Amino acid sequence: MKEKQDGNENGNKETQTQKGERKKERKKKERKKKERKKERKKEKTERKKERLCRVKNGRKGGKSEPIRVLVTGAAGQIAYSLLFSIAKGDVFGKDQRSSPLTRRTWPSTTWTVAILVGSMPRKEGMERKDLLKANVAIFKSQGAALEKYAKKTVKVLVVGNPANTNCLIAAKSAPSIPKENFSCLTRLDHNRARSQVAMRCGVPATHVKNVIIWGNHSSTQYPDVHHCLVNMSGSELACFEAVKDDAWLNGEFIATVQQRGAAVIKARKLSSAMSAAKAICDHMRDIWMGTAEGEFISMGVYSSGNAYGVPEDLIYSFPVQIKDKSWKIVEGLTINPFSKSKMEATAEELIDERDTAVSFLGV
């Protein structure tokens, strides 16, 4: 009789444990359901933004005005992925009508967007000054071509390295186009920083927002997560609270993002291609569609008038928010001494690059 009673007690305990497990499983499924619902809502919002954007772009004969996109270096590895993404609507919207880019030549004065990918490629062991000397003449001529032929409202994205200074040279060579229309790509670094945090926290990259890349697209760049937020099980936590490893965030994390480009070159003997194309699409889509409420992204933009003490006349990566195709540097962010020193170091490199470039061409 006692044995039977003991058996019943054990059975009850097992049942209680099973109930607890089922309860946990239900909660887990509910969380996933909420996350899927949130993702669907976000997709719906993006589609709505695309429709509004098409209306703002104007109508002609009942159809939206076509967007004329100039891509240099179109036969290269980056463009191999980029052109297809542009044509199928990943950048300017799924319903933006596209023409067979490789079979039609448009009058150059109709360019809406210019993506300057073509440059002398960076090779293993190559110094950035070597890149400068080889590329600065290219971007002076491209800037002059934009000045002569493109719309004055053209949005120019410089990708070819060294991107910040190449962008500055192109902008200086097209004086009638507003400097605010020029930007350089640091979204690749931004995406890398976001992914590093996401992997560390065990969440999708879409659950990480407001990382910042300050400064140059080089090994002196400063990936800053002091204002980053991570969605952990439906709650947004500060990055340092979510990661729980300050030493990693202030050391290995920064070095990994800074050196990722060199690591890719070492591994494949070529610079990034598909990830760079994805970053270009992200960058230009945010210019076209705007950034989400409460979020900011990283872009290399003109430094004049910034609130963070960055020297004038540089293309420097800042956190920006975008609305109606115009970017604005996010102001009021607290900068601690550690961050300040990193930001100043990358600014010094950009000053040196700018001065060297100007001495090459007398721009």
Side-chain angles (χ1 to χ4, degrees):
M1 187 73 178
K2 186 176 181 181
E3 289 178 4
K4 188 175 181 181
Q5 186 176 357
D6 290 343
N8 288 337
E9 288 176 358
N10 288 336
N12 290 336
K13 286 180 181 177
E14 289 172 1
T15 302
Q16 290 172 0
T17 301
Q18 289 170 352
K19 285 181 178 178
E21 290 297 326
R22 285 197 297 271
K23 189 175 181 180
K24 287 181 181 178
E25 190 64 29
R26 281 198 302 272
K27 286 184 177 179
K28 187 176 179 181
K29 286 181 180 178
E30 286 172 3
R31 281 198 303 270
K32 286 184 177 180
K33 188 177 179 180
K34 286 180 181 179
E35 287 175 2
R36 286 196 296 269
K37 188 176 179 181
K38 189 175 180 181
E39 288 295 326
R40 287 196 295 269
K41 187 177 179 181
K42 188 175 180 180
E43 289 173 4
K44 188 176 179 181
T45 302
E46 287 298 320
R47 288 195 295 270
K48 185 177 179 181
K49 284 166 68 177
E50 288 177 8
R51 289 196 296 271
L52 289 172
C53 184
R54 291 196 301 275
V55 172
K56 287 181 180 180
N57 283 340
R59 300 278 175 177
K60 190 174 183 179
K63 298 179 180 179
S64 60
E65 285 292 325
I67 299 168
R68 314 296 193 189
V69 183
L70 164 70
V71 179
T72 69
Q77 289 295 306
I78 293 174
Y80 186 80
S81 298
L82 174 62
L83 293 176
F84 177 70
S85 295
I86 292 173
K88 75 185 183 76
D90 288 350
V91 180
F92 302 108
K94 299 296 181 184
D95 296 328
Q96 174 62 40
R97 60 195 178 100
S98 60
S99 297
L101 301 181
T102 57
R103 287 184 289 157
R104 180 174 179 180
T105 302
W106 294 305
S108 52
T109 51
T110 64
W111 291 337
T112 314
V113 173
I115 303 174
L116 309 184
V117 180
S119 66
M120 179 171 177
R122 182 182 177 188
K123 299 177 181 178
E124 189 173 2
M126 179 179 280
E127 294 291 333
R128 290 185 70 79
K129 285 184 179 180
D130 296 333
L131 270 183
L132 260 179
K133 191 171 185 179
N135 284 306
V136 72
I138 296 171
F139 285 88
K140 181 179 181 181
S141 64
Q142 289 180 351
L146 291 170
E147 170 73 9
K148 187 175 181 180
Y149 299 114
K151 288 182 176 180
K152 302 312 175 188
T153 56
V154 64
K155 300 296 184 183
V156 184
L157 169 59
V158 175
V159 179
N161 281 318
N164 297 60
T165 301
N166 287 343
C167 184
L168 183 67
I169 294 299
K172 284 179 176 291
S173 302
S176 70
I177 298 174
K179 296 291 187 292
E180 293 77 17
N181 288 20
F182 288 82
S183 60
C184 83
L185 188 73
T186 57
R187 186 61 171 268
L188 179 56
D189 309 302
H190 179 101
N191 289 351
R192 287 166 174 168
R194 192 180 181 191
S195 296
Q196 287 291 316
V197 171
M199 287 190 292
R200 195 75 173 187
C201 294
V203 299
T206 53
H207 287 206
V208 180
K209 68 180 184 181
N210 296 353
V211 301
I212 303 170
I213 302 297
W214 298 98
N216 202 359
H217 175 58
S218 75
S219 59
T220 68
Q221 66 177 261
Y222 172 44
D224 179 7
V225 292
H226 285 89
H227 308 281
C228 170
L229 297 173
V230 183
N231 187 323
M232 302 282 285
S233 301
S235 299
E236 285 193 340
L237 302 178
C239 184
F240 278 81
E241 184 182 351
V243 173
K244 294 183 173 64
D245 191 342
D246 292 12
W248 181 79
L249 286 171
N250 288 324
E252 184 181 341
F253 161 73
I254 293 174
T256 298
V257 178
Q258 289 176 331
Q259 299 295 333
R260 182 59 182 166
V264 170
I265 291 170
K266 186 175 182 180
R268 65 190 298 266
K269 308 304 178 187
L270 292 167
S271 58
S272 304
M274 186 173 288
S275 58
K278 169 66 165 57
I280 293 167
C281 291
D282 291 343
H283 178 115
M284 193 53 69
R285 183 175 58 250
D286 281 341
I287 287 179
W288 222 251
M289 305 297 181
T291 50
E293 188 70 28
E295 294 187 26
F296 47 79
I297 52 93
S298 303
M299 286 172 54
V301 297
Y302 212 59
S303 64
S304 294
N306 74 89
Y308 295 103
V310 175
E312 303 283 301
D313 199 32
L314 296 174
I315 297 292
Y316 188 100
S317 184
F318 290 96
V320 302
Q321 291 177 317
I322 305 170
K323 186 177 181 180
D324 297 330
K325 300 186 180 68
S326 296
W327 55 264
K328 182 180 179 182
I329 296 172
V330 177
E331 296 182 350
L333 299 177
T334 302
I335 306 297
N336 63 26
F338 176 84
S339 296
K340 187 68 174 175
S341 65
K342 297 285 187 184
M343 291 165 65
E344 289 174 349
T346 192
E348 287 174 7
E349 182 183 54
L350 281 170
I351 291 169
D352 181 60
E353 282 190 10
R354 178 197 64 194
D355 295 346
T356 302
V358 169
S359 71
F360 285 152
L361 291 179
V363 176

